[in-house]
Amino acid sequence: SVDGYQRVPAEEAGQSYTGSGQVDIVYAEGSIVTGDPSQSPIGGAQTLGSTTLTEALKTARTSSQTQAVVLRVNSPGGSAAASEAMWRAVKRTANEKPVIVSMGDVAASGGYYIAAGADSIMAAPTTTTGSIGVFGLLVNAEGFFEDQLGVTFDGVRTSPYADLFSSTKPLSPDERRLIGGSIDQTYDTFLQRVADARGMSVEAVDEVAQGRVWSGRDAQEVGLVDTTGTLADAVAAAGDAAD
């Protein structure tokens, strides 16, 4: 049986093992959101919460048995704030133990952001990665409410920008500049994170960023990943890094 097969000693299977530590695999799967998705009453597509991943990395980082960590990333991105929080958790772990990223089918945008905190990045040749860019989206439903429902809105505010993110009014020119500046600042931070991780200049990263998407093989050629390989290859690399 499979259960019996699993109990076969490594030596009898022709393998040798002399170490006492272990390599932990931490999975970063789904669209990136803040907090713990399991606490949300809204179901739907798989999500990756900043709190959940941070706690998983802390467990691996503080375990006396864990000698290295493989971070398996399969995410199209999401919240910039959550990506920054998870990047910090990855970076803190990498400061204490080797961290190898193994990219799955997709590790793009925020998925690449968190990978930038690791010691090394390994992608599959067909991984969709990169997409280093930032965009913001605000909905103005004023016309819908008025035209379809006959509802209009009035408000009282205590400062010019108190209702900056209201979904029932258009943005003023000043508000557009504020939000645009915030998006630019987030993008600049993203570029710097990648530049520091890859040993590149910010200008060089920008050349391959701007939202461009790369295959794993092409990402290696432009310097965004170190090598290509499978999850098993990443585990082996983590074991070598721990020795």
Side-chain angles (χ1 to χ4, degrees):
S1 68
V2 172
D3 186 55
Y5 178 79
Q6 288 178 330
R7 292 197 298 270
V8 174
E11 292 77 10
E12 291 185 19
Q15 304 294 319
S16 61
Y17 177 71
T18 58
S20 59
Q22 65 189 29
V23 172
D24 281 6
I25 304 176
V26 177
Y27 288 88
E29 300 263 351
S31 298
I32 294 173
V33 298
T34 56
D36 182 351
S38 67
Q39 303 301 316
S40 173
I42 302 175
Q46 185 175 14
T47 52
L48 169 63
S50 57
T51 300
T52 308
L53 185 66
T54 297
E55 291 177 350
L57 288 169
K58 180 180 179 181
T59 298
R61 184 174 65 249
T62 58
S63 171
S64 60
Q65 290 296 309
T66 301
Q67 301 299 310
V69 178
V70 171
L71 179 64
R72 178 68 169 179
V73 181
N74 200 8
S75 170
S79 164
S83 298
E84 171 70 11
M86 289 188 282
W87 173 86
R88 290 182 180 276
V90 173
K91 187 69 174 176
R92 182 176 179 183
T93 304
N95 287 338
E96 299 184 27
K97 298 177 180 180
V99 177
I100 310 297
V101 163
S102 169
M103 292 181 168
D105 293 337
V106 179
S109 192
Y112 188 86
Y113 196 122
I114 64 178
D119 295 298
S120 180
I121 300 176
M122 183 180 295
T126 56
T127 295
T128 299
T129 189
S131 191
I132 300 169
V134 183
F135 71 91
L137 178 65
L138 289 175
V139 176
N140 176 17
E142 181 183 36
F144 167 77
F145 281 110
E146 184 172 359
D147 298 339
Q148 303 299 320
L149 303 178
V151 176
T152 59
F153 295 85
D154 292 309
V156 176
R157 57 187 181 183
T158 56
S159 74
Y161 306 116
D163 56 352
L164 177 61
F165 297 104
S166 171
S167 60
T168 59
K169 70 175 188 64
L171 292 172
S172 70
D174 285 344
E175 289 172 330
R176 285 184 178 273
R177 281 192 290 271
L178 279 173
I179 294 175
S182 177
I183 292 172
D184 290 341
Q185 185 178 40
T186 302
Y187 180 60
D188 289 344
T189 300
F190 198 166
L191 293 178
Q192 190 64 61
R193 297 281 185 250
V194 177
D196 292 343
R198 306 306 304 166
M200 301 166 65
S201 68
V202 171
E203 292 75 20
V205 175
D206 189 42
E207 285 295 317
V208 298
Q210 303 178 44
R212 292 184 179 89
V213 176
W214 306 87
S215 70
R217 184 179 290 108
D218 290 341
Q220 182 181 5
E221 292 182 1
V222 299
L224 293 181
V225 305
D226 295 290
T227 186
T228 57
T230 64
L231 176 58
D233 293 329
V235 171
D240 291 340
D243 289 340

